Amino acid sequence: MKKQNRLGSRLLVGLMFLFLYAPILLLIIFSFNQGDSSAVWQGFSLHWYASLFKNRLIMESVYVTLLVSLLATVISTVAGTFAAIGLYSLRRRHREALMTVNNIPMMNADIVTGVSLCLFFVAFFQLWGRFARWCNGAQDLFELPERLVLGFGTLLLAHIAFNIPYVILNVAPKLRQMDRNLMNAAQDLGCTWLQAFYKVMLPEIKPGIVSGALIAFTMSIDDFIISYFTAGSASSTLAMTIYGMTKKRVTPEINAISTLLFVTVLLLLTITNLREARQERQASQRSPRRSALWEKLNASPAWRQARRAGTGILACGLAIALLLLGRATASQDVVNVCSWGEYIDTELIDQFEAETGIRVNYQTAESNETLYSLLKSGGADYDVIVPSDYMIAQLIEEGMLGELDYSQIPNFSLVDQRFRNLSYDPENKYTVPYAWGTLGIIYNTSMVDEEITSWEVLYDDRYAGDVLLINNSRDAIGEALFYLGYSPNTDDEAEIREAYELVAGANSRGVFQGRVMDEIYQKMEGGNAAISTYYAGDYLSMLENNEDLAFVIPEEGSNWFVDAMCVLKDAPHYDAAMAWINFIASTEANLANMDYIGYASANREALEQYPAYYEELYEEPLDPELYEIMVTPPEILERCEAYLNLSPATRSLYNALWTQLGI
């Protein structure tokens, strides 16, 4: 019976570890995938590891993550240790009250802490601006900066504030275990307080300090929420970079760096455990004479100095390595850009920096709505943003965009006439088109017997459980409006509710497998769903990993969209923003982007030259059918409609209905 129980326990533990580590194992396997899919194996390759170290966005985010984590760990460990000592000297009643206060940030949801810190910094910057303007007007001896923004400084301060309670929590128990009379005895014997601290207290509480430092470093390097709300536009951690890629797939380079991080942690844990086991074994086998020699060596001032020198050299080496790594990020002129994940050929950023000497801080957002919220909160200081048409109209309506100086953007003359004076910017004061595309139905021809031509298939019970609903209220309800013969820009509540009921009815009957955005890649490429809706450019990426996929714009019509470059009102680097927009609007940049992102350009030369560009690059002709999916023909665009900026009441209705759907 005991043997059976032991076997059952081992089986249970094995299944538990399999559940925990199977996803990590899958990530490691696909980091060696030759293709860019996380669902379709295309052969073994080290390509993504080589590509990782060439991806400047990822490498810079790794640098920022390590630098913030190390600095926050050191500062919070020192501050937390002395704060714990201060608490230790208080009476028990006061100490317990303050420890309760110290525990609040750790019990709080991270998002509460992140939003609170963001609001605090924004409010402080506003007060500082008023004070600086008053001070500069009252005297001429010095000039205070009137505009402070979120950036590396606020990111570091937020991490320090976040980590200090964890350090206090680890050091405090060691202080309580220590005899209170030791410090007094050391001082009675002639030690100063600082000497007593180093000779008596520090050895006693050292395990708590080390433990607190390790937890602080772990919390910092793993954090996303705190960083997201306090980093501003000039700094991005690795977690933020990965999160920003959710408009498209997470790049395979992320699998590679995640594998390296996992292996590094595993090796450190293994080395630490082996070292501890070896020390225990040596301690049990060590002769009294060897123990005495070892204690004598540890007591030797020369040995202590050598150990301190070694630690100092290691710390200096680490600092120099970080400084050398950070030299690539140093530049006097900068431009802060926010766009979508995987929406630019990163070589263009390097080329722009080489040509102009202007450094590009490139960040990503996962949706128009998230970008809007970030801008409204005052938590960003971007120069150039790339929102979609309907969001541009809303930003113009609310006075958040600045007019462009088209004399600094000569490449605007290359924009095709059909992409000028559009509804979101009728006078062409605020925008230069970046890319455009269409929304359509993607389906697996091996799982669907018919040729799809209508939105009706999304609500058909025959495909119950095999349909993916797009996780975007504007698109999901817009598709239903198209099917019902209504405009996707209607403000008629009855029509919108009728479209919602169509979607909700299909959901209640089990037609939808779920609602997705970037998850669509794995599901459609791996054959885990038969029908979905997504954008033409992303379909071309999926087709590379599953040739059974097809794309169609339904006969009832669909949405066609334009993403455009804008500058925020009072952009801090206006001239650099103009230089960036002009560079990206060039024919060469548009050709590179079309090939990289799969979306059509608004540059007429790029539209004409892309087939020849593709043939020269890949030494084979471009499939005309694929080109028509990327660059939708005018006769198909005639039955498509762009989204307009809806009224506030209609936007609220959309949000309420989408929440009510609750898939």
Side-chain angles (χ1 to χ4, degrees):
M1 182 63 70
K2 290 183 178 180
K3 185 175 181 180
Q4 290 179 349
N5 290 339
R6 191 160 54 245
L7 180 62
S9 299
R10 290 177 179 175
L11 180 62
L12 181 62
V13 171
L15 290 174
M16 181 185 70
F17 277 101
L18 179 64
F19 176 77
L20 290 174
Y21 290 101
I24 298 177
L25 180 62
L26 187 66
L27 178 147
I28 293 173
I29 291 173
F30 275 95
S31 71
F32 298 102
N33 189 14
Q34 187 172 359
D36 61 358
S37 174
S38 296
V40 181
W41 179 259
Q42 297 180 346
F44 180 87
S45 174
L46 294 174
H47 166 71
W48 300 116
Y49 287 88
S51 177
L52 167 66
F53 294 100
K54 298 177 182 178
N55 190 316
R56 57 84 52 82
L57 297 179
I58 294 177
M59 294 310 297
E60 287 183 4
S61 65
V62 170
Y63 164 73
V64 171
T65 301
L66 290 175
L67 185 59
V68 168
S69 299
L70 289 171
L71 290 175
T73 298
V74 172
I75 297 172
S76 62
T77 299
V78 173
T81 298
F82 283 101
I85 294 171
L87 291 174
Y88 174 71
S89 65
L90 297 176
R91 294 182 178 179
R92 181 176 180 180
R93 184 177 62 182
H94 295 157
R95 182 171 66 248
E96 289 181 351
L98 290 175
M99 284 300 296
T100 301
V101 174
N102 179 74
N103 293 337
I104 292 176
M106 294 184 290
M107 299 172 64
N108 251 342
D110 284 358
I111 192 168
V112 175
T113 305
V115 172
S116 301
L117 287 168
C118 177
L119 294 176
F120 170 78
F121 287 131
V122 170
F124 174 77
F125 293 160
Q126 291 175 347
L127 292 174
W128 172 266
R130 295 173 186 172
F131 170 75
R133 285 189 291 273
W134 171 82
C135 185
N136 293 336
Q139 50 81 37
D140 297 324
L141 297 176
F142 57 88
E143 184 175 354
L144 294 175
E146 296 182 5
R147 185 175 185 180
L148 299 178
V149 297
L150 297 177
F152 184 85
T154 55
L155 176 63
L156 178 60
L157 288 173
H159 276 249
I160 293 171
F162 181 57
N163 288 336
I164 285 176
Y166 292 95
V167 177
I168 294 175
L169 189 68
N170 280 271
V171 175
K174 294 298 179 182
L175 287 167
R176 288 197 296 270
Q177 293 172 9
M178 189 181 76
D179 190 338
R180 281 178 171 269
N181 297 317
L182 287 177
M183 287 289 289
N184 293 331
Q187 290 177 286
D188 289 342
L189 292 172
C191 285
T192 64
W193 185 92
L194 192 60
Q195 289 175 329
F197 170 75
Y198 278 110
K199 298 287 186 180
V200 177
M201 182 180 288
L202 190 59
E204 293 287 332
I205 65 175
K206 184 178 178 181
I209 296 174
V210 173
S211 178
L214 289 174
I215 291 178
F217 182 77
T218 302
M219 298 299 292
S220 279
I221 204 167
D222 188 51
D223 171 72
F224 164 70
I225 298 294
I226 306 297
S227 302
Y228 181 78
F229 286 100
T230 60
S233 56
S235 302
S236 180
T237 64
L238 181 60
M240 292 170 62
T241 299
I242 296 173
Y243 182 68
M245 292 175 177
T246 55
K247 188 175 186 291
K248 292 190 72 174
R249 76 175 80 226
V250 174
T251 64
E253 289 96 332
I254 295 300
N255 292 345
I257 195 170
S258 299
T259 299
L260 293 176
L261 289 173
F262 175 77
V263 171
T264 301
V265 171
L266 184 63
L267 286 175
L268 288 174
L269 287 174
T270 302
I271 292 171
T272 301
N273 290 333
L274 289 176
R275 182 171 175 270
E276 290 179 355
R278 182 183 177 187
Q279 288 176 342
E280 291 177 359
R281 186 170 60 252
Q282 288 177 344
S284 62
Q285 297 174 354
R286 188 179 296 152
S287 64
R289 183 178 179 182
R290 286 185 62 191
S291 298
L293 289 173
W294 181 253
E295 291 177 2
K296 185 177 180 181
L297 182 63
N298 282 333
S300 169
W303 173 251
R304 289 201 301 270
Q305 291 295 334
R307 285 198 308 178
R308 291 172 184 171
T311 303
I313 291 172
L314 181 62
C316 290
L318 181 60
I320 292 171
L322 287 171
L323 288 173
L324 290 176
L325 185 59
R327 285 185 64 185
T329 66
S331 177
Q332 184 175 0
D333 298 321
V334 299
V335 58
N336 300 322
V337 181
C338 184
S339 185
W340 313 121
E342 281 291 278
Y343 209 42
I344 189 173
D345 183 346
T346 54
E347 292 183 3
L348 292 175
I349 300 177
D350 298 330
Q351 184 180 339
F352 174 80
E353 291 182 338
E355 290 181 4
T356 64
I358 299 172
R359 171 171 168 70
V360 180
N361 292 321
Y362 190 91
Q363 290 192 4
T364 58
E366 74 279 9
S367 71
N368 284 289
E369 288 69 26
T370 301
L371 173 62
Y372 175 78
S373 298
L374 191 60
L375 297 176
K376 291 295 286 186
S377 71
D381 192 39
Y382 301 119
D383 299 302
V384 181
I385 57 175
V386 191
S388 300
D389 36 30
Y390 70 94
M391 183 55 66
I392 293 172
Q394 184 175 340
L395 294 174
I396 293 174
E397 178 185 292
E398 298 182 15
M400 297 176 66
L401 297 184
E403 295 187 11
L404 302 182
D405 180 2
Y406 287 94
S407 66
Q408 298 187 54
I409 314 174
N411 286 327
F412 180 72
S413 62
L414 301 174
V415 174
D416 195 281
Q417 288 294 333
R418 58 185 168 141
F419 299 106
R420 301 188 187 192
N421 306 105
L422 296 176
S423 58
Y424 59 85
D425 186 13
E427 299 181 27
N428 270 129
K429 291 183 177 181
Y430 302 95
T431 60
V432 173
Y434 181 85
W436 61 277
T438 51
L439 175 71
I441 296 176
I442 302 172
Y443 63 99
N444 192 318
T445 56
S446 67
M447 302 173 68
V448 178
D449 297 330
E450 60 184 313
E451 182 179 352
I452 293 177
T453 60
S454 170
W455 291 112
E456 180 184 13
V457 72
L458 298 182
Y459 320 108
D460 195 330
D461 292 340
R462 291 179 299 162
Y463 299 107
D466 275 332
V467 180
L468 300 175
L469 179 66
I470 192 168
N471 193 13
N472 179 312
S473 61
R474 194 71 195 269
D475 285 328
I477 296 178
E479 294 162 359
L481 288 168
F482 274 116
Y483 173 64
L484 294 171
Y486 304 136
S487 168
N489 298 307
T490 180
D491 278 324
D492 189 313
E493 182 175 346
E495 293 178 353
I496 295 172
R497 287 191 177 276
E498 184 180 353
Y500 165 76
E501 291 301 332
L502 180 63
V503 177
N507 178 55
S508 65
R509 299 193 307 273
V511 175
F512 300 128
Q513 186 184 111
R515 58 188 191 192
V516 299
M517 286 299 285
D518 61 308
E519 301 94 331
I520 190 175
Y521 287 95
Q522 283 72 28
K523 287 185 174 291
M524 294 304 295
E525 291 174 358
N528 298 316
I531 301 170
S532 63
T533 57
Y534 222 55
Y535 312 107
D538 298 303
Y539 160 74
L540 295 175
S541 297
M542 296 180 214
L543 186 63
E544 295 177 2
N545 296 308
N546 189 338
E547 296 180 353
D548 292 331
L549 299 180
F551 180 87
V552 62
I553 295 177
E555 58 192 8
E556 298 94 348
S558 185
N559 165 244
W560 79 279
F561 59 88
V562 178
D563 294 336
M565 295 178 284
C566 326
V567 297
L568 291 174
K569 193 173 184 179
D570 301 324
H573 312 104
Y574 184 83
D575 290 337
M578 295 300 102
W580 171 258
I581 292 174
N582 185 60
F583 174 81
I584 294 298
S586 68
T587 300
E588 295 75 14
N590 275 272
L591 285 169
N593 259 346
M594 281 183 69
D595 187 68
Y596 186 85
I597 67 179
Y599 285 93
S601 166
N603 181 305
R604 61 175 180 274
E605 291 182 353
L607 290 174
E608 295 169 358
Q609 297 175 18
Y610 182 70
Y613 175 87
Y614 180 94
E615 186 170 356
E616 181 180 354
L617 186 64
Y618 296 103
E619 298 182 347
E620 63 179 18
L622 175 63
D623 187 335
E625 293 184 3
L626 297 183
Y627 184 66
E628 286 195 357
I629 291 175
M630 177 190 289
V631 184
T632 310
E635 60 271 16
I636 296 180
L637 281 179
E638 286 180 1
R639 66 173 189 262
C640 295
E641 192 171 352
Y643 292 150
L644 302 180
N645 181 29
L646 301 173
S647 66
T650 302
R651 292 200 298 266
S652 297
L653 176 61
Y654 266 77
N655 292 335
L657 293 176
W658 195 240
T659 302
Q660 185 177 333
L661 187 63
I663 294 180

